[in-house]
């Protein structure tokens, strides 16, 4: 009986720790997209997660370890959104649907919940190897998704065109967020959407 009670207490503690870890990673994934890697501090993340600063090292060996998990979570969340768009896209219009969603006004305004490439691309080269590995994997996944829609799938030209498409859409969103004139921001998104749709349709 005592063993059962001890095991139950251990299980409850493990579940509580897992829930706390989930809150930290979720908060950090939002924070890196909102404030950048350098602007994301441990104390702020722990406060947002509703935990004490001292509890941090029960979950991570270092701030860099937290940032790596946060980057992976941000990429996974973005990939899930894209997967949903793909699943609901009309036959033969997958890339156009992805482009419309990615270059939408809604995505422009959802920095902390949007694509981490547009939010963090310029900072990523200065991050630890694991963060860069996570981002590289995500770029490859996005490129592969676009390339698979091409009639030339399997040929190098399909992959090259997909790389250009991904680079252009990410760059356009980054610039559309950077400018301080809404009309210029809109033109960046709309012109890029029109161009990429014409070359991927």
């Amino acid at each position: 009986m005592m063993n059962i009670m001890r095991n139950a207490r251990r299980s409850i503690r493990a579940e509580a720790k897992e829930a706390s870890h989930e809150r930290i990673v979720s908060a950090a994934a939002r924070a890196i997209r909102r404030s950048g890697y350098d602007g994301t501090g441990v104390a702020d993340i722990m406060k947002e997660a509703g935990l004490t600063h001292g509890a941090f090292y029960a979950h991570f060996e270092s701030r860099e370890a937290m940032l790596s998990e946060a980057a992976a979570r941000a990429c996974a969340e973005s990939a899930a959104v894209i997967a949903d768009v793909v699943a609901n896209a009309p036959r033969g219009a997958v890339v156009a649907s992805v482009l419309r969603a990615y270059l939408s006004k809604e995505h422009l305004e959802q920095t902390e919940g949007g694509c981490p490439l547009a939010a963090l691309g310029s900072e990523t080269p200065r991050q630890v190897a694991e963060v860069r590995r996570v981002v590289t994997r995500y770029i490859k996944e996005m490129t592969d998704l676009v390339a698979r829609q091409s009639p030339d799938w399997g040929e190098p030209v399909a992959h090259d065109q997909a790389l250009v498409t991904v680079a252009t859409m990410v760059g356009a969103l980054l610039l559309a967020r950077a400018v301080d004139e809404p009309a210029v921001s809109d033109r960046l998104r709309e012109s890029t959407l029109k161009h990429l749709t014409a070359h991927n349709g």
Side-chain angles (χ1 to χ4, degrees):
M1 185 67 172
M2 290 299 292
N3 280 340
I4 292 172
M5 290 175 66
R6 274 196 295 269
N7 288 339
R9 281 197 295 270
R10 265 198 296 270
S11 177
I12 290 168
R13 279 197 299 270
E15 287 175 11
K17 183 175 181 180
E18 188 177 322
S20 295
H21 191 89
E22 170 68 22
R23 291 204 310 274
I24 297 168
V25 175
S26 182
R30 290 191 304 274
I32 59 173
R33 286 175 282 187
R34 179 179 64 238
S35 306
Y37 291 113
D38 292 341
T40 298
V42 169
D44 291 335
I45 295 304
M46 296 303 283
K47 183 177 179 181
E48 189 175 333
L51 300 164
T52 64
H53 189 172
F56 176 80
Y57 291 101
H59 295 274
F60 302 98
E61 291 181 3
S62 65
R63 177 177 173 273
E64 288 72 24
M66 177 190 72
L67 292 178
S68 295
E69 272 199 55
R73 172 65 59 83
C75 290
E77 289 173 354
S78 187
V81 171
I82 292 172
D84 190 54
V85 171
V86 170
N88 292 291
R91 189 179 184 90
V94 172
V95 176
S97 296
V98 169
L99 289 169
R100 277 194 298 275
Y102 194 93
L103 293 169
S104 67
K105 185 84 166 176
E106 292 74 24
H107 191 199
L108 175 83
E109 295 170 349
Q110 293 171 355
T111 305
E112 73 173 42
C115 176
L117 301 179
L120 298 161
S122 64
E123 289 188 51
T124 303
R126 296 184 295 278
Q127 301 310 306
V128 296
E130 181 53 32
V131 168
R132 296 187 71 189
R133 248 190 310 275
V134 165
V135 172
T136 300
R137 187 164 56 243
Y138 178 57
I139 292 169
K140 287 181 171 181
E141 288 170 2
M142 284 185 66
T143 303
D144 187 61
L145 183 150
V146 173
R148 284 179 178 276
Q149 312 311 314
S150 171
D152 298 317
W153 167 242
E155 299 295 325
V157 66
H159 186 261
D160 291 346
Q161 180 60 46
L163 283 170
V164 171
T165 298
V166 170
T168 304
M169 66 192 236
V170 171
L173 185 62
L174 189 155
L175 294 177
R177 285 176 174 166
V179 298
D180 66 352
E181 295 181 25
V184 176
S185 179
D186 289 343
R187 290 291 290 164
L188 277 162
R189 291 183 304 100
E190 291 162 6
S191 298
T192 302
L193 176 60
K194 183 178 178 181
H195 175 81
L196 290 179
T197 302
H199 287 80
N200 284 276

